[in-house]
Amino acid sequence: MKNKVILSFVLILTMSFGFAQTKEELQAQKSEKQAVADAAQAEANAIQAQIDALPGWKKGAFGVIGGSLSNFNNWYAQGAPNNSSGNIGINFNAYANKLEDKYFWRNSLTVNLAWVKLDDKDDPNDNDSFKPTTDVFNISSLYGQKLSDKWAASALGEYRTTILNNFNDPGYLDVGVGFTWTPLDNLIVVIHPLNYNFVFADNDAVFESSLGAKVMADYTRKIGAIDFKSNLSAFFSYKGSDLSNWTWTNNFSYTLWKNIGVGFDFALRSNKQEALNYALGQYTGPVGSEPTFGNVDNDLQSYYTIGLTYKF
């Protein structure tokens, strides 16, 4: 009996030692394979960097789709116990850049649209359709003739408006010339001291075109499964700050599986002409006391979208 116990103990110890050896060997093999994979990935990244540096067209696009739907029946804890609601948001970003040794031509498009609805089933007179809430359309084209590796003489055309509601009312077209600075491969800074801001709107008493300076900074980068874009576009009117405006947009996308991932878009904006136009539209007080550029609250505008993304 004693010998059987000893034999069993030795057998268990031998099996444990064998498994331990096997685990250590597998870990060593994994480390070797991982080192080979890391080296191959580094070589692939270096080759991709060479490809990206070649002259020619560089194109890409990614977008964000976010939304939710809900339905309540006899949910008495809320003010409208029978309702259905939903919101849908779509953001699309695309670019087409031609990069040559002596010049470049960069084109970009940003579209951000969102709809929301609330249908109170107990109110036959309410509006149960999807109503636009976010409405952004921006397209730009930048041409530059290189003066050095970092500087270029450039011309820019940029158009901004809404497309779901009040198309081209207002609409903004910036046309100007100046210089473009590229301190990094992914960073572009446009400095145009001669720029005309064309403003298209029905309300000529609020919206006015003017001459000024245009500054735009764009940072676009791809790191593995991450796509990131940040753009600041600002116009400084020589006629006064009331006619100046700026918009800062940020787009982030992370690919989880194949072309599908998650994304986040966020933007800030300041435009006193738009603030005054909105305030006048909401004003119901006595004539002669309407809001003016001098007393209107130019609140900071913002929006964000979170949802699924699809990389084109």
Side-chain angles (χ1 to χ4, degrees):
M1 183 66 180
K2 183 178 180 181
N3 291 336
K4 290 182 178 180
V5 173
I6 295 174
L7 182 60
S8 299
F9 177 77
V10 172
L11 181 60
I12 293 173
L13 184 63
T14 302
M15 292 177 63
S16 299
F17 181 72
F19 284 132
Q21 274 190 318
T22 302
K23 182 179 180 180
E24 291 177 353
E25 290 173 355
L26 290 174
Q27 288 179 334
Q29 293 177 13
K30 179 185 176 182
S31 298
E32 293 176 0
K33 298 296 185 182
Q34 188 63 52
V36 174
D38 292 342
Q41 186 62 52
E43 293 178 2
N45 292 341
I47 294 174
Q48 185 61 50
Q50 294 176 7
I51 294 174
D52 294 340
L54 292 175
W57 283 100
K58 306 292 187 299
K59 304 175 183 179
F62 65 95
V64 176
I65 301 176
S68 68
L69 297 172
S70 64
N71 186 79
F72 291 88
N73 291 307
N74 302 321
W75 200 265
Y76 298 116
Q78 60 188 13
N82 301 292
N83 75 77
S84 62
S85 64
N87 65 79
I88 302 172
I90 300 173
N91 179 276
F92 178 75
N93 298 276
Y95 65 88
N97 301 328
K98 185 174 179 61
L99 308 178
E100 298 292 341
D101 293 335
K102 295 183 179 180
Y103 72 92
F104 58 78
W105 185 21
R106 298 178 178 270
N107 306 276
S108 68
L109 169 68
T110 297
V111 180
N112 193 307
L113 308 173
W115 298 262
V116 66
K117 83 164 207 171
L118 175 61
D119 177 19
D120 186 348
K121 300 175 184 178
D122 298 324
D123 183 1
N125 298 317
D126 73 334
N127 188 348
D128 60 356
S129 61
F130 278 92
K131 295 178 290 186
T133 54
T134 302
D135 193 355
V136 177
F137 178 86
N138 186 301
I139 186 170
S140 67
S141 182
L142 174 68
Y143 177 83
Q145 193 71 31
K146 292 184 178 180
L147 304 175
S148 66
D149 291 339
K150 303 296 183 181
W151 287 92
S154 57
L156 170 70
E158 182 185 37
Y159 178 67
R160 308 182 306 280
T161 187
T162 56
I163 55 179
L164 298 179
N165 277 328
N166 305 320
F167 174 72
N168 206 39
D169 182 25
Y172 305 90
L173 174 63
D174 279 299
V175 179
V177 294
F179 300 94
T180 294
W181 179 41
T182 53
L184 303 173
D185 292 338
N186 304 299
L187 176 61
I188 303 166
V189 181
V190 177
I191 307 170
H192 286 178
L194 185 60
N195 181 93
Y196 199 83
N197 179 234
F198 295 92
V199 183
F200 310 100
D202 293 337
N203 190 351
D204 295 335
V206 173
F207 293 99
E208 182 181 351
S209 303
S210 64
L211 182 68
K214 180 75 173 182
V215 176
M216 186 177 73
D218 186 276
Y219 184 78
T220 304
R221 189 170 185 183
K222 175 179 174 59
I223 306 176
I226 299 175
D227 287 282
F228 177 77
K229 178 181 176 66
S230 182
N231 180 278
L232 174 64
S233 179
F235 171 73
F236 302 96
S237 176
Y238 293 145
K239 197 169 184 178
S241 61
D242 291 341
L243 306 183
S244 301
N245 61 79
W246 60 267
T247 303
W248 181 37
T249 58
N250 298 274
N251 314 108
F252 173 87
S253 175
Y254 180 75
T255 304
L256 296 173
W257 177 72
K258 292 187 177 179
N259 291 338
I260 300 175
V262 294
F264 174 70
D265 296 327
F266 174 69
L268 297 174
R269 181 186 180 108
S270 177
N271 190 311
K272 203 168 185 179
Q273 294 178 92
E274 293 177 351
L276 179 58
N277 185 60
Y278 178 79
L280 289 172
Q282 301 297 311
Y283 183 72
T284 58
V287 177
S289 300
E290 296 88 355
T292 65
F293 278 117
N295 58 28
V296 69
D297 292 328
N298 185 22
D299 295 330
L300 186 65
Q301 305 175 41
S302 68
Y303 74 78
Y304 71 86
T305 303
I306 301 175
L308 297 177
T309 66
Y310 185 82
K311 185 177 179 182
F312 299 89

